[in-house]
Amino acid sequence: MEIRFEKSSHLKEKPDQKNLGFGKYMTDYMFVMDWDKDKDWHDARIVPYEPVTLDPACVVLHYAQETFEGLKAYRTAEGKIQLFRPQMNARRMINSNARLCMPAFPEEMFVEAVKALVKVEEDWVPSEPDTSLYIRPFMFATESALGVHMATSYKFMIICCPVGAYYATGLDPVKILVEDELVRAVKGGTGFTKCGGNYAGSILGQVKAEKLGYAQVLWLDGEQRKYVEEVGTMNIMFKIAGEIYTAPIEGTVLPGVTRDSMIHLLRDWGYKVNETRLSIDDLMKAGHDGTLEEVYGTGTAAVISPVGELRYKDDVVVINDGKTGELTQKLYDTLTGIQWGKIADPYGWTVEVK
Ligand SMILES: *Cc1c(COP(=O)(O)O)cnc(C)c1O
C-alpha cells in the first residue's frame, strides 16, 4: 500500500508523561483512507491531525454506521516499539463491519497502516512506567443522503494518544453494579461488534451506577437478565472454587483480545477455564458462601481491573476483602510483562514496529 505523507508545519508540545490520563492528548498526525463503491479503498495518507468536515446529511450522523477498535503501542526498556496482537483487532473490525454492512478493511492493510502511523509518531510513544500510545482505528459512513441504507462511501481513520498508567498506585479494585433493568445486547444484535451505537445505549446504565457510587456496570443477558455477560468496555472473569468462569462468545459479548490472551495464560498455568453462562444468582451465592475467590475485568485500556464489590439489587458481596487477588495480580504482571517486553513472549503476540 502506498501511503502519502503530508508534513505538519507545526508540531504540538508533548504533555507531561506523568499526567497523561486517558484520551486527552492527540498526536500530530492521523491516518486516513477512503472507500467508495467504484474505487474501493484508495488514497491512503498520513496527514496533520485536524477536524473532519461532514455534510449535515452524512449517514453516520443519523444512523450511526460507525465501528472502531482500540489497541496500544508499547515502548520497551531497549527503546523498541511493539504492538500487541494487532491482527486480532483487524479481524474483529472486519467482523464488526460485516454486521453493519460496511466494507472490510483488509487485515494486512490495517496492520500496515497502524505500523506506519506509529512509526511517524514514534516520539509520542511514552517511556514512563506503565504508559503507552493508545491507537484508535475507526470507520464511518460519509455519504450524504437521508434514508437508512448501505452507504456508498466510507472513511477509515486512525488517531493516537499517549496514555498513562490506568491506576496511579498499582491495581485498585473497583465496585461494580449489576444492571437488572437496562440491557446492552441481545442475540442477533450488535453486541459482538465494537460499533458506536452499542456505547451510546450503555451510558444510561453507567450514569445510574455512578449515582449509586459504583464505577461500572455489569450487564446481564438481554433476554432473561439472568446470566452475567460483560462490563461496559471490559470482559469479566470470575474465579470460583479454583476454576475460572467467563461468558461465552456467542454474539452478545465482545470478543476481547485481552480476554483471549488471559484464557491462553490461564490454561497454560493449568486452570480450568469455563466459557459458559453463569447465572447472577449462582454468582451471588458463590459470593456469600465464600467460593467466589476473585473477580476481574479484562480490556486493553486497563489490562485487568480487579473487582472488590458486586451489587445486585439490594444484595452486596465483597470479594477477597476488597483487595486485588493473587491470580489477578499474576495475570496483570505476566500480560503487561509481555506487552512491555520485560518478559519473554512465548506466544508470538508482540509485533515490532521499530
Ligand atoms: C473493547 C471492549 C472489550 C475489551 O476488548 P479488548 O480487545 O480486550 O480491549 C470488552 N468489552 C467491550 C464491550 C469492549 O468494547
Side-chain angles (χ1 to χ4, degrees):
M1 170 171 58
E2 202 172 307
I3 304 174
R4 176 164 64 80
F5 178 65
E6 189 183 311
K7 203 164 166 42
S8 170
S9 57
H10 171 78
L11 297 185
K12 298 172 189 167
E13 202 176 305
K14 308 258 184 326
D16 176 7
Q17 286 195 18
K18 292 204 161 69
N19 283 300
L20 291 171
F22 192 90
K24 288 197 290 191
Y25 305 101
M26 298 302 154
T27 64
D28 292 308
Y29 292 95
M30 58 188 190
F31 177 93
V32 189
M33 197 159 182
D34 300 303
W35 183 94
D36 62 55
K37 237 173 78 195
D38 305 323
K39 282 163 78 184
D40 208 331
W41 287 109
H42 62 278
D43 198 13
R45 55 207 188 268
I46 291 175
V47 296
Y49 188 97
E50 63 179 6
V52 181
T53 306
L54 296 175
D55 189 285
C58 179
V59 169
V60 68
L61 298 178
H62 303 271
Y63 312 118
Q65 246 196 7
E66 190 264 3
T67 57
F68 67 97
E69 272 302 323
L71 67 163
K72 285 172 169 177
Y74 308 83
R75 186 182 290 278
T76 70
E78 301 80 48
K80 275 196 314 195
I81 295 170
Q82 54 192 29
L83 305 170
F84 185 74
R85 310 184 77 185
Q87 305 87 346
M88 283 198 79
N89 297 95
R91 279 179 237 142
R92 187 168 66 192
M93 191 175 214
I94 290 170
N95 292 338
S96 296
N97 290 358
R99 176 64 182 83
L100 273 89
C101 280
M102 293 165 63
F105 193 79
E107 180 181 327
E108 318 77 62
M109 267 164 59
F110 181 102
V111 176
E112 194 184 336
V114 168
K115 280 186 177 172
L117 182 61
V118 172
K119 234 178 236 168
V120 166
E121 299 288 42
E122 66 172 274
D123 292 347
W124 280 93
V125 183
S127 54
E128 279 288 313
D130 300 326
T131 61
S132 54
L133 185 73
Y134 185 77
I135 304 162
R136 167 55 58 86
F138 59 108
M139 190 157 119
F140 55 93
T142 51
E143 186 192 350
S144 307
L146 297 184
V148 178
H149 62 288
M150 193 177 158
T152 53
S153 60
Y154 293 87
K155 242 185 202 353
F156 172 86
M157 300 180 63
I158 310 174
I159 55 174
C160 317
C161 54
V163 295
Y166 209 81
Y167 301 100
T169 51
L171 291 180
D172 195 9
V174 293
K175 291 162 65 177
I176 287 192
L177 179 71
V178 182
E179 173 59 55
D180 62 353
E181 182 195 2
L182 306 172
V183 298
R184 192 193 92 90
V186 290
K187 284 225 169 98
T190 55
F192 66 95
T193 73
K194 251 178 148 64
C195 74
N198 285 350
Y199 303 84
S202 75
I203 296 171
L204 183 57
Q206 179 68 24
V207 169
K208 272 175 71 182
E210 283 169 14
K211 266 196 199 138
L212 290 169
Y214 288 80
Q216 299 254 6
V217 174
L218 171 56
W219 299 101
L220 300 177
D221 75 279
E223 277 122 57
Q224 298 173 266
R225 294 175 189 71
K226 181 173 171 193
Y227 300 100
V228 293
E229 295 217 319
E230 63 178 321
V231 184
T233 56
M234 288 189 290
N235 297 109
I236 191 161
M237 297 186 182
F238 308 91
K239 180 165 174 259
I240 302 174
E243 292 185 14
I244 312 300
Y245 292 80
T246 194
I249 301 296
E250 288 175 346
T252 53
V253 165
L254 205 282
V257 177
T258 321
R259 173 190 181 278
D260 183 79
S261 307
M262 301 236 172
I263 290 174
H264 271 278
L265 292 176
L266 288 161
R267 289 193 172 139
D268 278 3
W269 295 341
Y271 283 95
K272 180 152 191 253
V273 181
N274 305 284
E275 294 181 70
T276 140
R277 298 183 115 194
L278 172 67
S279 76
I280 184 64
D281 291 337
D282 286 346
L283 176 64
M284 297 307 278
K285 198 161 134 273
H288 288 299
D289 70 20
T291 51
L292 179 60
E293 294 154 353
E294 298 187 33
V295 180
Y296 52 88
T298 71
T300 298
V303 185
I304 204 160
S305 190
V307 177
E309 182 183 316
L310 276 176
R311 172 168 164 183
Y312 175 55
K313 301 186 197 278
D314 290 326
D315 193 12
V316 173
V317 296
V318 173
I319 301 127
N320 195 37
D321 283 333
K323 294 198 284 281
T324 300
E326 217 173 285
L327 180 64
T328 305
Q329 186 70 51
K330 186 177 169 191
L331 281 165
Y332 178 81
D333 292 342
T334 307
L335 203 65
T336 57
I338 292 173
Q339 289 169 334
W340 272 282
K342 288 185 249 180
I343 59 176
D345 168 18
Y347 305 100
W349 282 340
T350 53
V351 171
E352 205 173 307
V353 171
K354 180 207 153 227

